[in-house]
Amino acid sequence: MHIEYFKFFYDVANCKSISKAASMSHISQSALSQQLNNIENRLGVRLLDRSNKGVELTPQGRLMLKHIEVMLKSYERMLEDVDSFKLDKSLIVIDYYYNLTNPYISSILFNSKKKFPQYELRLNSSPVENIESNLINHISDLGISFKEPEDKSILFSKLLDDNLVLTAASSFNVPRSITSEELINYPLIILNDRINVKRRLHLSLNKYNKNFSDLNVLYMVNAVATAKESALNGYGLTILPRMSISDELKRGTLKEINLKDAVLDYSIYLLHTSDNYKIIKPFIDYMKRECKKIII
């Protein structure tokens, strides 16, 4: 089967509509339907349940989509590598966890262009669970994550340490130091994040026979920027990575509140495999060296 067939299926699965996917691909709906039928006939399974409301993936279709996503990423990476080869450059694809908002690392990557003109850098924002699989499948070369890899074939080194900060607008009426039990008295915006803010608070509240449900949570958000904006607007307190609010703390638009009894430290790691280590080793060494200079 041609790679285009898999791209057609991928588009239909994400749009949940054959007509929308056909429009995206600039082909007729009947032609796309025929291509999907060909895939199903070739595999001998039904991948899509069709109805007047659109299409839904069958269990076999969900399995197919999982593999196609990896296949398409690998195909795109192959094309990029070929293009880089034509330009006599080495492509380095860096996956980073999207909520590790870090002006320091961004600055290091920007400055690296002058030092390593032979590299072409591309940054991808990825969920933390995809960073390891992208490395193993050669879709990316480096990963920046807040957790050590689970796969033993992936090499890693610590880039820097950071901590989560309980913060609020400078004008918000709250003492500069409180306990987790006292936190119950204040409105909270919680970052729904894999750094496990919710679990950290739950553990510290257990000391007072309290739990997370006792907190006055206004709402939970998925993005650091949204939580930060909520705090700046005076809606309540929030807990964010220090590196993501360092500028606001320096300017005084946000203030730090010491949460006396909570463990809020975490580390940021650089992940890679051994496959192309020799080629990108100078860049890895540069990243580690520059990160050691950072004082957050």
Side-chain angles (χ1 to χ4, degrees):
M1 284 183 279
H2 296 295
I3 193 74
E4 289 82 3
Y5 293 176
F6 296 124
K7 181 66 167 64
F8 290 151
F9 175 81
Y10 177 85
D11 290 340
V12 170
N14 283 281
C15 293
K16 295 186 176 182
S17 167
I18 293 176
S19 61
K20 289 180 181 178
S23 178
M24 286 172 52
S25 301
H26 305 290
I27 63 173
S28 68
Q29 185 172 336
S30 60
L32 179 53
S33 295
Q34 183 61 48
Q35 298 289 5
L36 296 172
N37 289 334
N38 289 341
I39 295 174
E40 290 179 321
N41 291 335
R42 179 74 177 272
L43 296 175
V45 294
R46 192 177 77 256
L47 302 173
L48 300 166
D49 284 326
R50 300 160 175 83
S51 70
N52 293 333
K53 296 180 180 179
V55 297
E56 292 290 338
L57 292 173
T58 64
Q60 296 93 331
R62 288 193 290 273
L63 178 63
M64 178 84 164
L65 179 62
K66 178 182 176 181
H67 289 286
I68 284 178
E69 285 176 337
V70 174
M71 190 185 304
L72 291 176
K73 286 180 180 178
S74 295
Y75 179 71
E76 290 171 4
R77 177 61 196 268
M78 179 194 70
L79 296 178
E80 289 171 341
D81 282 340
V82 170
D83 288 340
S84 295
F85 185 79
K86 292 176 184 176
L87 298 172
D88 196 26
K89 289 189 175 184
S90 296
L91 176 65
I92 299 180
V93 177
I94 304 172
D95 269 357
Y96 68 96
Y97 181 50
Y98 56 86
N99 265 340
L100 289 181
T101 307
N102 190 333
Y104 303 102
I105 291 180
S106 298
S107 176
I108 290 171
L109 293 173
F110 175 78
N111 292 329
S112 71
K113 289 293 291 181
K114 300 175 184 177
K115 188 172 181 63
F116 299 104
Q118 72 273 30
Y119 295 134
E120 181 183 350
L121 302 180
R122 180 161 66 79
L123 272 65
N124 288 337
S125 173
S126 297
V128 68
E129 59 270 17
N130 288 1
I131 291 177
E132 287 190 44
S133 62
N134 285 347
L135 286 169
I136 293 169
N137 290 307
H138 309 293
I139 294 166
S140 63
D141 302 291
L142 296 172
I144 297 175
S145 178
F146 63 84
K147 57 181 288 190
E148 296 181 8
E150 296 177 2
D151 192 296
K152 300 303 180 183
S153 68
I154 296 177
L155 308 175
F156 70 95
S157 54
K158 185 190 291 188
L159 281 182
L160 52 87
D161 292 312
D162 192 20
N163 65 301
L164 297 166
V165 174
L166 178 62
T167 188
S170 56
S171 58
F172 197 91
N173 186 19
V174 58
R176 283 303 184 112
S177 184
I178 61 175
T179 65
S180 297
E181 185 178 34
E182 292 168 331
L183 189 61
I184 293 171
N185 301 318
Y186 299 94
L188 280 171
I189 299 96
I190 297 294
L191 183 65
N192 186 21
D193 189 270
R194 294 302 180 89
I195 301 179
N196 293 325
V197 171
K198 184 176 177 180
R199 176 169 173 74
R200 291 168 189 263
L201 289 176
H202 183 78
L203 290 174
S204 60
L205 285 165
N206 280 345
K207 303 170 189 174
Y208 306 99
N209 294 319
K210 306 284 185 182
N211 56 53
F212 185 81
S213 62
D214 293 311
L215 294 171
N216 178 19
V217 178
L218 296 180
Y219 48 85
M220 301 183 73
V221 299
N222 291 324
V224 166
T226 306
K228 185 196 300 188
E229 190 65 24
S230 298
L232 287 168
N233 288 332
Y235 298 159
L237 282 62
T238 190
I239 297 177
L240 295 173
R242 180 179 297 277
M243 65 179 62
S244 70
I245 57 170
S246 57
D247 289 342
E248 288 79 7
L249 291 174
K250 289 175 183 176
R251 290 196 298 264
T253 52
L254 289 176
K255 62 183 177 184
E256 179 178 354
I257 300 119
N258 177 34
L259 192 57
K260 300 176 184 178
D261 47 14
V263 178
L264 299 176
D265 297 330
Y266 72 97
S267 299
I268 295 177
Y269 299 94
L270 184 66
L271 283 56
H272 61 91
T273 64
S274 59
D275 294 340
N276 60 347
Y277 179 66
K278 289 183 179 179
I279 298 174
I280 63 175
K281 182 180 184 300
F283 183 80
I284 292 174
D285 291 342
Y286 167 79
M287 284 282 294
K288 292 193 289 188
R289 188 168 60 251
E290 291 301 305
C291 281
K292 286 181 181 178
K293 301 177 183 178
I294 295 175
I295 301 176
I296 300 175

